[in-house]
Amino acid sequence: MTNLYGIIPMLIVMLAGIAAMLAEAFRQPGERMPMFGLGLIGLFGAAAAAIVLWDTNASSFGVVRSDNFALFVDLILCAIGVLTMVFSHGVVEREGIPAGEYYALTLFGIAGMMLMASATDLLIIFLALEVLSLSVYVLTGIRRASAAGAEAAFKYFLLGAFSSAFFLYGIAFAFAISGSTRLDDVAVAMASGSNGTLALLAVGLLAVGFAFKVSAVPFHMWTPDAYEGAPTVVTAFMSTAVKAAAFAAFVRVFLSTLEPMQGHWIPVLSAISAVTMILGTVVGVLQTNVKRMLAYSSIAHAGYLLLGIVAANPSGKAAVLFYLAAYAVANIGALGIVALLGTADHQHDQLRDFAGLWRTRPALAGLMTIFLLSLGGFPPLAGFVAKWYIFAAAVQEAHYTLAIIGVLSSVVSVFFYLRIVVMMYMTDEAAAPAGPALSFPATAGLALATIATFYLGVLPTQVLNAALQSVQGIF
Amino acid sequence: MLSTIVFLPLAGAILVLLAGGRGDRPERESAVRAIALVASLVTFAATLYLWWGFDPASAEFQFVEHRAWIPAFGISYYLGVDGISLFLIVLTAFLTPLALLSSWDSVHKNVTLFSFFLLALETAMLGVFVSLDLFLFYVFWDAMLVPMYFLIGVWGYERRIYAAVKFILYTMAGSVLMLIAIIGLAWVHAASAGSPTFDLLELYRTGVPPNLEYWFFLAFTLAFAIKVPLFPFHTWLPDAHVEAPTAGSVILAGVLLKMGTYGLLRFSFPLFPHAAAAFAPLLGVLAVIGIIYGALVAMVQPDLKKLVAYSSVSHLGFVVLGLCALNVNGVQGAVYQMLNHGVSTGGLFLIVGMLSDRRHTRLIAEFGGLKGVMPRLVAAFLVITLSSIALPGLNGFVGEFLILIGAFQWYPKLATFAAIGVILSAVYMLWMFQRVNYGEVRNERNARLPDLSKREWALMVPTIAMAVLMGVAPGIFLRPMEASVARAVDRVTGAQPATVRMHAVEPPGAPAARPAVMEREARRD
């Protein structure tokens, strides 16, 4: 029985997903089912379980371990899940998305992500990767009538499948040198240092697989199309949750198992990080579609997060965790607002749609500004502390050049975040119509995201310390 | 006490938001304006109380508040004032109510947000001046950009968006490199002391390896030089000034620019004394180029606001020159000149704002002969103009005089060139004054302009009173800052080898430097 403790959080989410699916199956035509509520119960239950399991280091079947690192990511994922649920409420019906499938797939995706964060076996990581990817592929194309959605889902699926193959190939090489897929066995084989080429191939192929999932350059091609074509709530979900889960596994594999190979992969990841930051921001400047702009911004943020991995010190690992949390609340808040303003026939995702928003929807314009400023790294918001922490970790290891590229690209990114602010506050263009009213859950969700953005920016100590503690035990 | 002062405006700003409600509600305008003005006046009163309780004999930081904030990284909530920051705080709190009041007739678009941003800006500015923790300082420093960006971008003139974006990107580009240097400095401290710290007073004592010291100094100085703005980093300033609303210009010129020179004196120079000594001549030369260049460009401006903006480049050049001299006279003059420039340039922008409210133009050629039309306004204009060109008996004179003495003790040639700037400033200001106010009324529309209103009296009287007070009784300002200035100079020159110090130490007879020098001797034993 104690063997199951480690998988309790993902189990709860999975059960909630199954319940949502059953509810859809037994639903009479025209009847409304409380799938939204089921999702919330599952996510809050998982979060509670994660808090109870804190410090227990519960391990299941030797391949899943809910150590504090995994639990920290679980909590971020639960927060993302809850925010996704509350922003979807109302939007799902309005956009004609089938509710049962939508909620069930989101929950399955989150369960897969939690598994990915806590897996200690390469094959389980792959399994989790597939669970979450399949859910997200379908979610991307869930509006069947939309050609853009179908195209985005297909692109995402093809490139994703491609990257999965790379990842699997990497696992095969790792198995070849160690005779096992368990992370600790692989680590022993890597540390022995006697398997030159095979080990390098394993490291390289695994890095490619992860780079696809976190959308690092040059493996980012799918990101703008998938983010633009997906329904906005799904964009909000996948831009934050998939990134959090993929980075969790990235950190675990590269900073514990593959740490002996540091000398080989740090230069490569440094270069990837630098071009990711530069390309994400520079191309982001050229966008006129807000979702596409935020897609490039999320590519840039992957570059900053990679800095934490390149730093390869305790601050770097903890910084990645903190950054994921800070990025998640701000990004999901911003995309949530885009989603809440949209209707079935109008996505409200063009820059000019935001013209004069401060006159028609002053509160939403204000919150949007806060989230964008946080993404741009302005104090006293979450994004500032997160960036500061990442750069501090990089500077600690004397990666001055990377840190300077990072801060300068974040100045460039401010330019395009501000383009939205300029549109909302400063242009003389006629204001767009006010858009649909907010439901209570959506209002509560926005309030939560705002509070979190300020909390992480003004009083980050508790979360920072939790992040630091959670990386100490396992690496 | 300090926390109260810093966050009073923010509390006022939140009250304003609550009172204003959602969106643009003209019927609540007067309530919002009253709340904002009261909040800023209470803050000003609190800063006067601070001044009253300030011990002028001490060079230590006073009213210190020190609380752990992010202990894992040695970051603390650490506030304090010394004689240098004290008056900058008073100046900030003095100018904010004037800025609010100046906008009563000219700003009607969403007054709630306007007042909110102006008060939030005040909190950030006050925070910059009282932070003794580099992380906290950077938080206020960067947070300040956002409200200013909105003030320019929403309530500015035609090219406001361009100016606002240029302002924020230009300043950010400079300050992010400083962020890297701040972090680097904390890790350098960690290498010797075991754990990182952002505590300024601790970091003063941290020796930085020479190669890093030069890079860190450049990163800090670039951020401050852009803010000052030191030639050749000044190009954002004319745009920002011209496009900003009057209140924004007053705050921008009155306070924001001082953050650059304050930063040089508080952070760049004492944290990296060797690099400071090495680069001081270069900075001094740039400052003198800025003095003369700013004056020459100001001379040919057709636009009143642009003229005042370029005159700021010139005046701030004096401040930087005084700082680079690194002796008590020069630095004291520089600090005094920061205050002067805040009062006189703030006053000039207020007057330009009044003219542009009446005529909706700022072109000098559109005016002429105003003296007969608005004698009171022109009289006020004259006093402020004279204070700006440093007429003895008004505030500008004391600061420029001290700076020139300090610069002469350092590099007489630089002082000579700087003195040319004094003459040029008289030329461009008086020429402008003559074209605007004397002669015949050539333009029909100028013939019946109303003179100062009650509200405008309320703007002009405190400004002129301050200019006169600072001109005739400089002692009440100079004495409290003397000890702190001596300490600041000592932090930089005390770290130099003896030959370099010879330049910097005061000649006999300058009382302020004595105790500091003796104290240093004593410490060495």
Side-chain angles (χ1 to χ4, degrees), chain B residues 53-390:
Chain B
F54 184 85
D55 171 13
S58 164
E60 299 299 326
F61 285 97
Q62 302 179 32
F63 304 101
V64 169
E65 292 177 35
H66 202 167
R67 251 171 261 132
W69 185 17
I70 309 176
F73 287 87
I75 293 169
S76 51
Y77 177 79
Y78 190 7
L79 308 179
V81 285
D82 66 354
I84 298 168
S85 47
L86 174 69
F87 291 110
L88 290 168
I89 296 167
V90 176
L91 176 73
T92 309
F94 172 75
L95 287 177
T96 308
L98 294 185
L100 279 167
L101 205 55
S102 77
S103 62
W104 276 29
D105 281 347
S106 49
V107 170
H108 290 289
K109 184 161 83 173
N110 208 332
V111 176
T112 312
L113 269 187
F114 179 83
S115 315
F116 170 82
F117 282 126
L118 206 54
L119 288 172
L121 181 63
E122 187 181 8
T123 284
M125 295 186 299
L126 292 170
V128 165
F129 290 130
V130 299
S131 299
L132 296 180
D133 180 282
L134 282 173
F135 184 85
L136 185 65
F137 160 75
Y138 192 84
V139 165
F140 283 123
W141 173 269
D142 233 18
M144 177 187 72
L145 299 179
V146 178
M148 197 66 212
Y149 162 76
F150 275 98
L151 286 177
I152 299 176
V154 179
W155 291 276
Y157 294 92
E158 303 79 31
R159 288 170 69 238
R160 58 182 189 273
I161 297 176
Y162 168 77
V165 172
K166 187 169 177 182
F167 163 76
I168 201 166
L169 290 185
Y170 216 118
T171 358
M172 253 198 111
S175 47
V176 288
L177 294 179
M178 175 168 75
L179 178 66
I180 298 288
I182 290 176
I183 294 169
L185 196 57
W187 289 125
V188 165
H189 183 269
S192 61
S195 63
T197 186
F198 289 83
D199 179 332
L200 181 65
L201 300 184
E202 287 282 323
L203 291 171
Y204 278 156
R205 291 192 285 272
T206 306
V208 185
N211 56 335
L212 281 179
E213 179 175 348
Y214 282 80
W215 286 114
F216 288 175
F217 174 80
L218 287 177
F220 269 77
T221 305
L222 178 68
F224 297 135
I226 288 177
K227 200 68 145 198
V228 168
L230 190 65
F231 179 88
F233 306 109
H234 62 279
T235 57
W236 64 270
L237 181 82
D239 287 310
H241 263 322
V242 171
E243 300 305 323
T246 302
S249 297
V250 169
I251 296 293
L252 198 58
V255 186
L256 255 64
L257 305 189
K258 275 76 202 183
M259 289 179 177
T261 43
Y262 171 79
L264 289 175
L265 179 58
R266 176 75 84 218
F267 301 103
S268 279
F269 287 2
L271 281 173
F272 316 107
H274 306 100
F279 280 100
L282 175 68
L283 290 176
V285 168
L286 286 180
V288 170
I289 294 177
I291 292 173
I292 295 175
Y293 169 86
L296 290 176
V297 179
M299 212 178 293
V300 297
Q301 292 307 317
D303 182 309
L304 278 171
K305 259 191 149 176
K306 248 189 169 143
L307 185 144
V308 182
Y310 277 107
S311 84
S312 292
V313 175
S314 179
H315 285 160
L316 267 295
F318 274 104
V319 178
V320 175
L321 179 67
L323 293 178
C324 290
L326 284 175
N327 51 40
V328 171
N329 278 336
V331 174
Q332 207 171 23
V335 178
Y336 202 64
Q337 189 65 4
M338 290 189 218
L339 308 176
N340 289 332
H341 181 260
V343 172
S344 49
T345 307
L348 279 176
F349 275 121
L350 288 175
I351 286 174
V352 174
M354 291 172 195
L355 294 179
S356 117
D357 283 352
R358 285 169 171 72
R359 280 292 322 278
H360 301 285
T361 177
R362 304 177 307 266
L363 292 178
I364 297 174
E366 288 279 320
F367 296 101
L370 294 186
K371 181 170 161 287
V373 186
M374 303 182 286
R376 296 190 182 87
L377 193 150
V378 172
F381 198 174
L382 179 65
V383 178
I384 302 289
T385 305
L386 293 178
S387 115
S388 176
I389 58 180

Side-chain angles (χ1 to χ4, degrees), chain A residues 209-419:
Chain A
F210 280 124
F212 257 109
K213 283 296 156 197
V214 302
S215 51
V217 177
F219 311 105
H220 65 287
M221 304 296 185
W222 58 273
T223 317
D225 293 323
Y227 284 15
E228 190 187 355
T232 314
V233 271
V234 174
T235 309
F237 173 65
M238 65 182 178
S239 66
T240 49
V242 174
K243 194 151 280 186
F247 260 106
F250 204 160
V251 168
R252 194 190 282 276
V253 171
F254 271 75
L255 291 180
S256 64
T257 312
L258 303 182
E259 204 158 22
M261 305 288 289
Q262 254 188 21
H264 294 287
W265 58 255
I266 284 189
V268 178
L269 288 189
S270 303
I272 291 183
S273 162
V275 290
T276 307
M277 291 188 284
I278 294 171
L279 188 130
T281 49
V282 171
V283 183
V285 168
L286 307 173
Q287 305 306 316
T288 54
N289 178 301
V290 171
K291 278 161 79 179
R292 235 182 144 75
M293 188 184 279
L294 288 173
Y296 280 102
S297 122
S298 98
I299 293 172
H301 284 285
Y304 303 131
L305 281 157
L306 279 172
L307 262 185
I309 296 185
V310 168
N313 52 19
S315 334
K317 297 162 192 167
V320 170
L321 287 182
F322 188 86
Y323 201 105
L324 286 172
Y327 166 75
V329 287
N331 209 48
I332 206 168
L335 279 165
I337 289 177
V338 180
L340 291 168
L341 287 168
T343 53
D345 47 339
H346 183 66
Q347 283 246 355
H348 202 280
D349 60 356
Q350 295 297 320
L351 253 183
R352 61 175 179 277
D353 292 335
F354 285 81
L357 194 70
W358 74 311
R359 271 180 246 120
T360 49
R361 306 293 289 266
L364 281 186
L367 293 183
M368 185 77 178
T369 307
I370 290 173
F371 296 135
L372 290 173
L373 290 177
S374 177
L375 287 174
F378 276 95
L381 302 170
F384 170 71
V385 180
K387 279 210 175 112
W388 166 80
Y389 200 7
I390 284 271
F391 294 138
V395 169
Q396 191 180 7
E397 302 302 316
H399 291 301
Y400 279 102
T401 320
L402 276 183
I404 288 171
I405 293 175
V407 289
L408 290 181
S409 69
S410 85
V411 174
V412 178
S413 77
V414 165
F415 177 75
F416 61 76
Y417 294 129
L418 288 184
R419 284 181 72 189

Side-chain angles (χ1 to χ4, degrees), chain A residues 9-384:
Chain A
M10 55 212 87
L11 208 58
I12 296 175
V13 177
M14 189 67 88
L15 286 174
I18 292 173
M21 210 162 65
L22 288 176
E24 173 69 15
F26 287 105
R27 187 172 68 95
Q28 303 293 328
E31 189 187 358
R32 290 170 64 93
M33 279 286 187
M35 293 158 216
F36 165 73
L38 282 173
L40 280 191
I41 292 171
L43 289 165
F44 278 114
I51 290 166
V52 171
L53 285 173
W54 192 261
D55 274 340
T56 59
N57 231 344
S59 170
S60 298
F61 318 115
V63 290
V64 177
R65 197 164 69 216
S66 282
D67 45 31
N68 288 354
F69 178 79
L71 293 173
F72 193 98
V73 179
D74 284 356
L75 287 171
I76 296 176
L77 289 170
C78 287
I80 294 172
V82 168
L83 289 175
T84 310
M85 297 280 147
V86 296
F87 292 145
S88 309
H89 187 73
V91 172
V92 166
E93 287 107 85
R94 200 157 70 219
E95 299 212 355
I97 298 171
E101 289 87 336
Y102 173 80
Y103 286 114
L105 282 169
T106 308
L107 291 166
F108 288 146
I110 294 175
M113 292 163 190
M114 288 177 162
L115 183 61
M116 188 153 175
S118 35
T120 56
D121 185 300
L122 284 172
L123 268 184
I124 301 294
I125 294 180
F126 180 74
L127 199 70
L129 190 70
E130 288 304 291
V131 171
L132 81 88
S133 300
L134 287 173
S135 312
V136 175
Y137 299 149
V138 181
L139 283 172
T140 305
I142 200 163
R143 279 179 310 175
R144 279 192 296 175
S146 146
E151 183 197 335
F154 196 61
K155 264 187 193 160
Y156 190 13
F157 169 71
L158 275 185
L159 287 174
F162 203 47
S163 79
S164 297
F166 272 103
F167 194 75
L168 204 53
Y169 219 176
I171 296 177
F173 281 112
F175 182 77
I177 58 170
S178 62
S180 162
T181 53
R182 302 237 170 155
L183 288 181
D184 27 11
D185 295 337
V186 177
V188 172
M190 288 286 173
S192 73
S194 56
N195 337 277
T197 321
L198 285 183
L200 284 182
L201 276 170
V203 172
L205 291 167
L206 288 174
V208 171
F210 280 124
F212 257 109
K213 283 296 156 197
V214 302
S215 51
V217 177
F219 311 105
H220 65 287
M221 304 296 185
W222 58 273
T223 317
D225 293 323
Y227 284 15
E228 190 187 355
T232 314
V233 271
V234 174
T235 309
F237 173 65
M238 65 182 178
S239 66
T240 49
V242 174
K243 194 151 280 186
F247 260 106
F250 204 160
V251 168
R252 194 190 282 276
V253 171
F254 271 75
L255 291 180
S256 64
T257 312
L258 303 182
E259 204 158 22
M261 305 288 289
Q262 254 188 21
H264 294 287
W265 58 255
I266 284 189
V268 178
L269 288 189
S270 303
I272 291 183
S273 162
V275 290
T276 307
M277 291 188 284
I278 294 171
L279 188 130
T281 49
V282 171
V283 183
V285 168
L286 307 173
Q287 305 306 316
T288 54
N289 178 301
V290 171
K291 278 161 79 179
R292 235 182 144 75
M293 188 184 279
L294 288 173
Y296 280 102
S297 122
S298 98
I299 293 172
H301 284 285
Y304 303 131
L305 281 157
L306 279 172
L307 262 185
I309 296 185
V310 168
N313 52 19
S315 334
K317 297 162 192 167
V320 170
L321 287 182
F322 188 86
Y323 201 105
L324 286 172
Y327 166 75
V329 287
N331 209 48
I332 206 168
L335 279 165
I337 289 177
V338 180
L340 291 168
L341 287 168
T343 53
D345 47 339
H346 183 66
Q347 283 246 355
H348 202 280
D349 60 356
Q350 295 297 320
L351 253 183
R352 61 175 179 277
D353 292 335
F354 285 81
L357 194 70
W358 74 311
R359 271 180 246 120
T360 49
R361 306 293 289 266
L364 281 186
L367 293 183
M368 185 77 178
T369 307
I370 290 173
F371 296 135
L372 290 173
L373 290 177
S374 177
L375 287 174
F378 276 95
L381 302 170
F384 170 71

